[in-house]
Amino acid sequence: SPKNRSIAGLLGKRLPVAAGKLLHDLGTVGDELGLAVYAIGGFVRDLLLGVANLDIDVTVEGDGIFFAEQFAARHGCRVRSHRTFSTAVVIFPDGAKIDVASTRLEYYESPGVLPTVERSSLRHDLYRRDFTINTLAVCLNGPSFGRLTDYFGGQQDLQERLVRVLHNLSFVEDPTRVFRAIRFEQRLGFHIAPHTENLIRSAVRMNVLNKVGGLRLLNELIQILRENEPVGAIVRMAGFGLLPFVHPALKLLPEIRRVVEETGRVLAWFRLLYLPDACEQWQVYFLALGDRLTTDEFHDACRRLAVPGRISTKVFSHRRQALGTLDAIQRRLRRNPEVRNSEIYDWFHGLPLEMLLYLAARANREEVRRFVSQYVSRLRQVRCSLDGDGLAALGLAPGPRFRTIMDRLLVARLDGEVVNDEQERALALLLIASDGGASVAKMHH
Ligand code: ATP
């Protein structure tokens, strides 16, 4: 029988007032409809751990879609429902969302629904979950608001900080749980329980991960690489032998590990700059992991992960360009260590931010990191004040010289030859005059 205790006090203490009220509102609608309503999963786990998480998942014993529609009608929300899965999303006017699921619908097939049947239906639903720590449910109905349901020892595993599956076939049933186990372990600072770890090893030996579709594998990888500090999880994936399922040549060699760890530092630096544009952290880590892959191998890895061709084509060409640039920089530095801003601009211009941060992480030289830093934080924002219309107003006739003069003005800006609009205008006039005759002649041709 489940260990029930009330965590109503905790709900009152740890949640913002609005969130607490929302839980009560959900329970009230459940009371009115005669449906048992639970907050469930990650929300309850994090609540007990004292980790902020307002991502509330609700499970209704019975018809979750009906519940969602009734709740929405009373609280001015919209509903998006998925009939095939008996799930719904309640969308609040401010954009906040709550996922609503239904327990198994066998519930409807038994006419005289007894409380024990209801409870076993919730239990059945929870049994399909990944780990014990995710199986805790809190009742939201008025009379028993805050009552915790713990069928599988989730509270004890939270206490002992263990990630544990519910049964031996869990990873065979859904191999993506291998990645989820690592993700939760590393995020929460837990351990995968010894028996669960053995089950992972045997799942790996049985190659069950080969059965996971590319998109699902990619999705798990992305979720891991988006975690705050993914290096531990990467090390763990390598330890379990998971990387070769992405590509046989993918190994966490010491030099790759260096690039991966350096990636963490580069990203931390980037965040400190508070740059407005978001950077896809997972992409930088993915590039770092694949650092030693040849272009063909990288291509195969992307194909295994079902990365759409349109995207992967772009990634390959950027990756090739980036690695070529790095070689060019090394050669250039051997010739002369003095580098002009316009050269830096020229090297990095056109490469996505993720690729630049990867270059900074994989470069062994301090200078390269400094160049990337200068480009990202300053140079890429540099603009001329004159545009095409401005040049035309200064007397430049339409033609190919627009491009070359604009480029020349940008170089002057980057290298500090001109430092204000006045000087830029003077230089523009000089450039236009220098062979203005030629462009006029060309025009008349
Ligand atoms: P996160 O903070 O990463 O969102 P979460 O616990 O909310 O953590 P989700 O991936 O949003 O995780 O999943 C919600 C719930 O659904 C989990 O608590 C888990 O119990 C269940 N779940 C998700 N994926 C699986 C799976 N592959 N197998 C079994 N249960 C799963």
Side-chain angles (χ1 to χ4, degrees), residues 40-43 45-46 53 55 57 128-131 134-135 174 176-177 180 183-184 187 216 220 223 227:
I40 215 158
F43 169 76
R45 177 196 70 218
D46 288 343
N53 180 356
D55 201 352
D57 289 323
R128 292 178 305 177
R129 299 210 161 218
D130 45 8
F131 311 115
N134 289 334
T135 60
D174 180 355
T176 64
R177 290 174 185 161
R180 294 179 60 84
R183 186 153 60 85
F184 287 122
R187 182 202 296 174
R216 292 191 73 204
E220 293 304 326
Q223 288 200 60
E227 290 283 321

Side-chain angles (χ1 to χ4, degrees), residues 378-412:
R378 203 162 53 82
L379 300 180
R380 67 185 174 137
Q381 279 92 283
V382 172
R383 300 276 181 279
C384 293
S385 63
L386 284 169
D387 56 6
D389 289 342
L391 288 183
L394 292 179
L396 181 63
R401 289 187 71 232
F402 267 87
R403 189 73 264 144
T404 44
I405 291 183
M406 289 293 286
D407 289 349
R408 183 65 192 83
L409 290 176
L410 183 62
V411 167

Side-chain angles (χ1 to χ4, degrees), residues 122-413:
L122 175 68
R123 184 181 200 282
H124 212 102
D125 188 79
L126 292 171
Y127 190 63
R128 292 178 305 177
R129 299 210 161 218
D130 45 8
F131 311 115
T132 60
I133 56 170
N134 289 334
T135 60
L136 294 164
V138 185
C139 185
L140 301 180
N141 293 82
S144 34
F145 183 84
R147 192 192 65 213
L148 192 67
T149 298
D150 180 6
Y151 288 109
F152 306 104
Q155 291 177 90
Q156 185 172 347
D157 285 338
L158 276 181
Q159 209 123 51
E160 292 175 18
R161 310 182 80 75
L162 290 174
V163 177
R164 183 200 306 278
V165 286
L166 305 194
H167 57 82
N168 287 349
L169 289 179
S170 192
F171 294 121
V172 176
E173 222 169 76
D174 180 355
T176 64
R177 290 174 185 161
V178 170
F179 294 93
R180 294 179 60 84
I182 292 173
R183 186 153 60 85
F184 287 122
E185 177 193 62
Q186 294 296 316
R187 182 202 296 174
L188 301 172
F190 280 30
H191 286 289
I192 296 173
H195 181 58
T196 298
E197 202 171 303
N198 286 336
L199 294 174
I200 292 181
R201 294 194 194 286
S202 80
V204 169
R205 270 197 307 277
M206 287 160 61
N207 289 322
V208 295
L209 283 147
N210 282 335
K211 297 202 199 87
V212 179
L215 218 52
R216 292 191 73 204
L217 191 59
L218 175 64
N219 188 38
E220 293 304 326
L221 208 56
I222 289 177
Q223 288 200 60
I224 284 191
L225 299 182
R226 273 185 180 157
E227 290 283 321
N228 271 341
E229 304 278 346
V231 177
I234 292 171
V235 171
R236 203 75 163 113
M237 283 195 286
F240 280 122
L242 298 177
L243 298 180
F245 288 100
V246 177
H247 191 280
L250 211 55
K251 293 194 192 79
L252 196 61
L253 304 167
E255 55 277 27
I256 307 264
R257 187 162 171 170
R258 185 196 67 80
V259 178
V260 166
E261 280 169 0
E262 203 54 53
T263 298
R265 282 189 276 277
V266 168
L267 285 164
W269 158 79
F270 176 77
R271 276 185 220 106
L272 276 180
L273 289 174
Y274 297 116
L275 291 171
D277 40 358
C279 152
E280 279 288 8
Q281 164 180 309
W282 74 267
Q283 294 178 6
V284 190
Y285 276 110
F286 185 70
L287 288 165
L289 260 180
D291 188 63
R292 289 303 147 97
L293 297 186
T294 65
T295 302
D296 283 347
E297 289 169 341
F298 196 82
H299 197 147
D300 289 342
C302 288
R303 205 159 32 211
R304 167 66 181 105
L305 296 170
V307 175
R310 180 174 42 83
I311 294 173
S312 59
T313 308
K314 204 151 72 185
V315 175
F316 302 141
S317 86
H318 282 150
R319 185 173 180 264
R320 194 181 290 131
Q321 187 190 338
L323 295 176
T325 298
L326 208 51
D327 286 340
I329 296 174
Q330 316 270 21
R331 281 197 305 275
R332 169 68 183 73
L333 285 175
R334 275 199 291 278
R335 244 181 19 245
N336 174 0
E338 293 297 315
V339 171
R340 279 174 290 116
N341 285 342
S342 55
E343 287 178 275
I344 301 176
Y345 188 93
D346 206 39
W347 288 333
F348 299 142
H349 181 64
L351 286 175
L353 188 56
E354 290 79 7
M355 205 58 81
L356 295 173
L357 298 182
Y358 158 59
L359 279 190
R362 71 107 57 196
N364 267 317
R365 306 184 62 144
E366 191 46 48
E367 296 98 311
V368 176
R369 244 167 263 159
R370 210 178 59 236
F371 297 151
V372 172
S373 145
Q374 275 169 6
Y375 177 78
V376 169
S377 60
R378 203 162 53 82
L379 300 180
R380 67 185 174 137
Q381 279 92 283
V382 172
R383 300 276 181 279
C384 293
S385 63
L386 284 169
D387 56 6
D389 289 342
L391 288 183
L394 292 179
L396 181 63
R401 289 187 71 232
F402 267 87
R403 189 73 264 144
T404 44
I405 291 183
M406 289 293 286
D407 289 349
R408 183 65 192 83
L409 290 176
L410 183 62
V411 167
R413 275 274 177 178

